[in-house]
Amino acid sequence: EAQVTQNPRYLITVTGKKLTVTCSQNMNHEYMSWYRQDPGLGLRQIYYSMNVEVTDKGDVPEGYKVSRKEKRNFPLILESPSPNQTSLYFCASSKQPGTPNQPQHFGDGTRLSIL
Amino acid sequence: QQPVQSPQAVILREGEDAVINCSSSKALYSVHWYRQKHGEAPVFLMILLKGGEQKGHEKISASFNEKKQQSSLYLTASQLSYSGTYFCGTEPSSYKYIFGTGTRLKVLA
């Protein structure tokens, strides 16, 4: 089954303790992206990756890191989490943007609480 | 800047129609529409690639007015399953992606 898998689904942690949210897709998609979703603000792009070893900032990259060492994986790293990073996070993948009719496929989300 | 959606929220009875608008202050080169049910991931509905294009899936259709930098989603004879939050999305540059502010839709029996 074609899917995007995120782990963990839920995480409660404390300020300053490094954490990684993993994302993996099995559709051989070139493009992967991370979003955070906050009430009233919709989905905002954090980072995206056009292909292996190629990443760039979205609209809200501060406090986050990403890497793309393999095509299928795109982990989101919070080196020193703070309470304002408490949010619902989604990973998504698609074929290369610019190719007609390429929807994004979303993972089930990770609800992150930082105390 | 995020595309602005209107209305922010709407409540319907089953069988009623609704229109959700998505307006951008910048040029729109394509518009994507997604629906997100509570506690779930957004699910793709449709993409409109050029001005004047209209698409439909069952009783949900959309139009794209490139000149007005606006897209509208039309829900006809709404069903309970249409409840959720609807997002428009666009690609302001080749690889960046921006979603609209979202419209919460609730269909009542």
Side-chain angles (χ1 to χ4, degrees), chain B residues 21-101:
Chain B
N21 298 307
C22 171
S23 297
S24 174
S25 59
K26 295 188 174 182
L28 290 173
Y29 300 107
S30 67
V31 178
H32 306 208
W33 283 98
Y34 291 80
R35 176 172 61 207
Q36 182 182 28
K37 292 190 179 286
H38 184 67
E40 298 181 10
V43 174
F44 169 75
L45 293 175
M46 64 189 79
I47 291 178
L48 298 100
L49 295 175
K50 57 187 180 214
E53 184 172 18
Q54 295 192 356
K55 281 198 173 178
H57 175 67
E58 297 180 345
K59 292 179 180 175
I60 300 177
S61 60
S63 63
F64 179 21
N65 188 324
E66 206 169 14
K67 281 187 180 177
K68 290 186 178 180
Q69 298 174 180
Q70 179 178 316
S71 177
S72 296
L73 187 73
Y74 306 94
L75 297 97
T76 306
S78 57
Q79 307 166 16
L80 294 175
S81 62
Y82 288 1
S83 292
T85 301
Y86 290 78
F87 292 101
C88 63
T90 186
E91 299 168 42
S93 61
S94 295
Y95 297 103
K96 243 183 163 175
Y97 202 85
I98 293 181
F99 282 95
T101 48

Side-chain angles (χ1 to χ4, degrees), chain A residues 9 31 35 37 40-45 48 50 57-59 88 90 96-98 100-104 106-108, chain B residues 1-2 32 34 36 39-44 47 49 55 85 87 91 93-102:
Chain A
R9 293 290 314 279
Y31 186 86
Y35 299 90
Q37 185 173 28
L41 298 176
L43 290 150
R44 294 179 293 166
Q45 192 173 43
Y48 57 93
M50 297 78 88
K57 297 176 182 179
D59 281 336
L88 178 59
F90 286 101
Q96 206 62 273
N101 297 322
Q102 295 305 329
Q104 294 197 61
F106 285 83
D108 287 334
Chain B
Q1 288 84 344
Q2 277 182 293
H32 306 208
Y34 291 80
Q36 182 182 28
E40 298 181 10
V43 174
F44 169 75
I47 291 178
L49 295 175
K55 281 198 173 178
T85 301
F87 292 101
E91 299 168 42
S93 61
S94 295
Y95 297 103
K96 243 183 163 175
Y97 202 85
I98 293 181
F99 282 95
T101 48

Side-chain angles (χ1 to χ4, degrees), chain A residues 66-79:
Chain A
V66 293
S67 68
R68 188 95 181 270
K69 293 184 170 56
E70 302 166 286
K71 197 172 188 178
R72 63 184 291 125
N73 295 323
F74 190 44
L76 179 70
I77 303 157
L78 284 74
E79 295 266 2

Side-chain angles (χ1 to χ4, degrees), chain A residues 1-7 23-29 32 72 91-93 105-108:
Chain A
E1 181 191 349
Q3 58 186 8
V4 178
T5 304
Q6 291 178 232
N7 280 297
C23 174
S24 180
Q25 50 95 4
N26 63 1
M27 294 168 279
N28 201 36
H29 284 163
M32 296 186 75
R72 63 184 291 125
C91 179
S93 74
H105 301 261
F106 285 83
D108 287 334

